[in-house]
Amino acid sequence: MRHAVCLIKGDGIGPEVAEATQQVIDATGVAIDWQDLPAGAAAVESHGDVLPEMTKAAIRETKVALKGPVTTPIGQGFRSVNVQLRQELNLYAAIRPVRSMDGIKTRYDNVDIVVFRENTEGLYSGIENTVTEGVVTSLKVCTRKASERIARAAFRYCKERKRKKLTVFHKANIMKLTDGLFLESVRKVHAKMAPEIEYQELIIDNGCMQLVRDPGQFDVLLLENLYGDVISDLCAGLVGGLGVVPGANIGDEAAVFEAVHGSAPDIAGQNVANPLALIMSGVMMLRHLGEKKAALRIRDAYNAVLQAGNPAEITRDLGGQASTGAFTEALIRQLG
Ligand code: NAI
Ligand code: MG
């Protein structure tokens, strides 16, 4: 079966890691018709728009996209493409599996956490306002509808993947209404849908401390938008960094697969970025497309390359010396 997939290469290291991922997926023999689409800072130059209508229309059509990171200007300039894309396509669940991997030495060897992040509201609603010179506000939006929707997605995932425990990080002691409604919604869904799953609530300060002290105690984490964004990178740090954590943005109409990391301007264009996080996102995409065999082949291949531990085949972020291209070639050789 052929699959039509939108490919957004993005900015910074985006094109380097996206092309590597495309090569690895193609090497499995899965028949994908890639449709190259513009978004991000590069799209402003080529199409005069950070998120051209054609890109959104194409993803609505194919329902699946693989996306490299895009650059978002800090403190000024255009609104985040990611936030726009997630809101407009209603990609309400960000799912980020974070696992210790053989061959990557870190402080812990027992991390197996899946971060579920609400992807459409919270403080990322983008409703900011200048009250007067020197006084600004940012509105945090929490709705019962979106909170229950992400909770259902997370508990459904627990049931399907035989996960045993779900923990919510929150700050409902301070943000009594917004985080309070989030908690109330999750509790309700838990009681109705998955009472057999162990359920825990932690104030996020304590949650962060527990995460770095003993990450093995956590299974699935469920968080509102901002907390989920921050905690995703924290969790990445537990297992070897941003080069090894994939992600999926899932809605009822479409799914966009992308790594947790950004466009890494500090190393862009040097052929040194680790493409593995996007390749792993590609593995999630293949499973979503029903191409389980190809997904497992790629997974086995990168595990074998990491376990072999040849510095010439491992990228710099993981302590090796390989370029993006050399790692990609090693992976494709391993696929056979
Ligand atoms: P970043 O994730 O791009 O980089 C953080 C650090 O991790 C840098 O030192 C970078 O070199 C390193 N790093 C990231 N990915 C790597 C990889 N694959 N291999 C090796 N090293 C890697 O975060 P930063 O610097 O805060 O943001 C840069 C830009 O990316 C910003 O414009 C930000 O808005 C954007 N961004 C985009 C995202 C997306 O499109 N999904 C997600 C996060 C940030
Ligand atoms: Mg982030």
Side-chain angles (χ1 to χ4, degrees):
M1 187 187 164
R2 300 195 74 81
H3 306 280
V5 172
C6 294
L7 179 69
I8 296 171
K9 291 185 182 168
D11 303 316
I13 61 170
E16 297 163 66
V17 295
E19 280 158 26
T21 303
Q22 203 180 0
Q23 284 166 26
V24 170
I25 292 177
D26 286 344
T28 66
V30 171
I32 292 192
D33 297 318
W34 299 100
Q35 213 174 319
D36 251 298
L37 289 155
V44 179
E45 285 165 37
S46 59
H47 292 73
D49 189 352
V50 279
L51 185 57
E53 198 49 52
M54 64 183 281
T55 299
K56 288 181 273 185
I59 300 175
R60 284 199 180 95
E61 176 81 29
T62 62
K63 304 189 189 312
V64 181
L66 184 73
K67 176 185 162 297
V70 296
T71 299
T72 306
I74 292 180
Q76 52 170 19
F78 59 78
R79 240 186 109 204
S80 161
V81 171
N82 296 318
V83 173
Q84 276 186 57
L85 198 63
R86 292 164 192 168
Q87 288 178 350
E88 291 189 31
L89 295 176
N90 220 350
L91 305 170
Y92 57 83
I95 306 171
R96 291 147 167 204
V98 186
R99 291 192 187 101
S100 302
M101 295 165 83
D102 289 345
I104 303 180
K105 282 197 183 43
T106 59
R107 281 190 189 84
Y108 314 98
D109 58 8
N110 62 342
V111 181
D112 184 3
I113 294 172
V114 180
V115 177
F116 260 78
R117 162 185 174 191
E118 201 292 318
N119 227 2
T120 61
E121 53 181 35
L123 264 176
Y124 287 10
S125 303
I127 308 172
E128 294 193 305
N129 181 35
T130 301
V131 179
T132 183
E133 212 303 293
V135 183
V136 293
T137 61
S138 197
L139 203 64
K140 172 157 165 160
V141 178
C142 179
T143 65
R144 181 172 285 121
K145 184 176 167 211
S147 304
E148 287 186 2
R149 185 173 62 179
I150 187 72
R152 281 196 300 273
F155 283 116
R156 203 181 309 127
Y157 183 95
C158 289
K159 284 168 170 269
E160 281 168 13
R161 308 290 177 110
K162 311 227 175 324
R163 293 280 178 161
K164 297 195 164 50
K165 178 178 166 190
L166 182 143
T167 306
V168 177
F169 285 4
H170 67 89
K171 198 79 203 184
N173 49 331
I174 309 292
M175 281 167 280
K176 295 177 194 289
L177 286 185
T178 47
D179 283 12
L181 177 59
F182 190 78
L183 281 184
E184 180 199 308
S185 307
V186 181
R187 281 179 201 152
K188 188 173 135 195
V189 172
H190 173 246
K192 195 167 155 199
M193 189 179 157
E196 74 282 11
I197 310 266
E198 186 186 343
Y199 174 63
Q200 179 187 32
E201 294 170 356
L202 287 181
I203 294 179
I204 191 165
D205 326 18
N206 176 27
C208 287
M209 185 277 289
Q210 301 275 352
L211 259 181
V212 295
R213 198 180 57 87
D214 177 21
Q217 67 180 293
F218 295 107
D219 190 347
V220 172
L221 295 182
L222 173 56
L223 310 103
E224 64 88 85
N225 208 341
L226 166 69
Y227 307 154
D229 191 3
V230 175
I231 295 295
S232 296
D233 280 38
L234 190 159
C235 287
L238 302 173
V239 297
L242 289 165
V244 297
V245 177
N249 301 294
I250 309 255
D252 295 329
E253 310 292 328
V256 175
F257 295 82
E258 67 176 332
V260 170
H261 65 71
S263 55
D266 53 336
I267 56 167
Q270 298 171 26
N271 193 25
V272 297
N274 188 354
L276 186 52
L278 191 61
I279 291 169
M280 293 166 84
S281 310
V283 167
M284 293 176 79
M285 181 184 85
L286 288 173
R287 293 184 76 122
H288 178 84
L289 291 171
E291 297 286 357
K292 195 172 168 193
K293 230 171 107 186
L296 292 178
R297 276 182 66 208
I298 297 177
R299 195 196 62 188
D300 290 347
Y302 65 64
N303 280 331
V305 171
L306 292 175
Q307 273 164 29
N310 177 357
E313 295 183 341
I314 290 176
T315 48
R316 285 193 331 196
D317 56 313
L318 300 179
Q321 288 130 31
S323 64
T324 309
F327 172 74
T328 308
E329 280 162 26
L331 202 50
I332 291 172
R333 260 197 313 278
Q334 187 67 40
L335 277 171

